[in-house]
Amino acid sequence: MKNSLVKKLLVSTSLLSGLGITSMANAAVAPFNATYNFNIEGKYNGTASRVLTQTGNQYFYNVNASVGKLASAKQTANFVNANGAILPVSALTQYKIFGAGRTTTLNFNNAKKQLVTNYKGQNKVIALPQPAYDDLSLEIQIREDLKAGKFRGNYYMADRNTVEAVPFKKSAMTRITVPAGTFDVVRIDRVHDDKDRQTSFWLAPKLDYLPVKVVQNNDGKKMEMNLTRVN
């Protein structure tokens, strides 16, 4: 149960990573700060915060989430925005259960087309024949593509063991209400091979496709997250 809870917490932080707060298709990614509440399995309530900062053309993304004193998760990413093309530099994922946990790091060498991962002190080198993303830089790339009207549907994602193509689909506009207000939104679904799994998030064009709601279902166990505030 504890490991399952942490996995859901990590999924929630990944999916909520910012899909943007800017207003022009070719504008630079703007720094932002957003908070969410979420519920896991109707039992566990938690909060999450997400902060994007910028130094020159370098961006630093920090996502933190916790479920009381039981568990916490952290993700960070460093990337460059080259005229709408997001180039990941490094990423970190860390979780803790009652103070004990694991850390995974990803280091991208786009010049050599290599990814170096580290987990439990072990390095692994993975070839990058095509551009690939960590969770956070991928979500920023999707946000840039939506702003430019160039949503691709398929993106390559990297983890500590593999790089693989992940499909997404976009649905028609609808309207939802969350603690932060009522928004017209477009729905994005990750397409899973397992029909019992669902990953859906609702993005508000008014907030330049910031996600205002996320729902994750895994074998009947539901996680839902809703936007409470954004600066």
Side-chain angles (χ1 to χ4, degrees), residues 19-185:
L19 299 180
I21 299 181
T22 59
S23 59
M24 300 176 61
N26 294 319
V29 181
F32 59 84
N33 188 323
T35 59
Y36 297 77
N37 60 34
F38 64 88
N39 179 273
I40 300 174
E41 297 180 17
K43 302 176 182 178
Y44 309 101
N45 294 305
T47 59
S49 66
R50 170 166 102 255
V51 179
L52 180 70
T53 59
Q54 177 185 4
T55 302
N57 199 34
Q58 293 278 327
Y59 290 84
F60 302 90
Y61 200 175
N62 291 277
V63 179
N64 291 278
S66 64
V67 179
K69 297 181 179 180
L70 176 62
S72 65
K74 175 182 179 180
Q75 287 188 296
T76 67
N78 172 213
F79 62 86
V80 174
N81 181 18
N83 296 319
I86 303 303
L87 303 176
V89 176
S90 62
L92 174 148
T93 298
Q94 182 181 75
Y95 71 84
K96 292 183 179 180
I97 309 173
F98 295 118
R102 293 282 186 268
T103 300
T104 300
T105 61
L106 308 177
N107 287 285
F108 295 82
N109 189 325
N110 293 296
K112 293 184 177 181
K113 296 184 177 182
Q114 287 184 342
L115 169 69
V116 179
T117 73
N118 184 281
Y119 179 68
K120 294 184 178 181
Q122 299 295 315
N123 285 338
K124 185 173 184 177
V125 179
I126 301 173
L128 288 177
Q130 64 284 308
Y133 308 89
D134 59 272
D135 291 337
L136 303 188
S137 64
L138 171 62
E139 290 169 354
I140 295 293
Q141 183 66 72
I142 290 176
R143 157 240 184 246
E144 289 291 278
D145 291 348
L146 287 170
K147 289 197 309 178
K150 297 179 180 180
F151 177 69
R152 299 177 227 171
N154 289 280
Y155 296 85
Y156 281 89
M157 294 184 66
D159 62 26
R160 70 174 186 260
N161 293 313
T162 61
V163 173
E164 62 179 357
V166 176
F168 295 84
K169 70 176 182 179
K170 181 173 67 171
S171 300
M173 295 287 293
T174 187
R175 178 172 290 186
I176 64 171
T177 298
V178 295
T182 298
F183 301 93
D184 292 320
V185 294

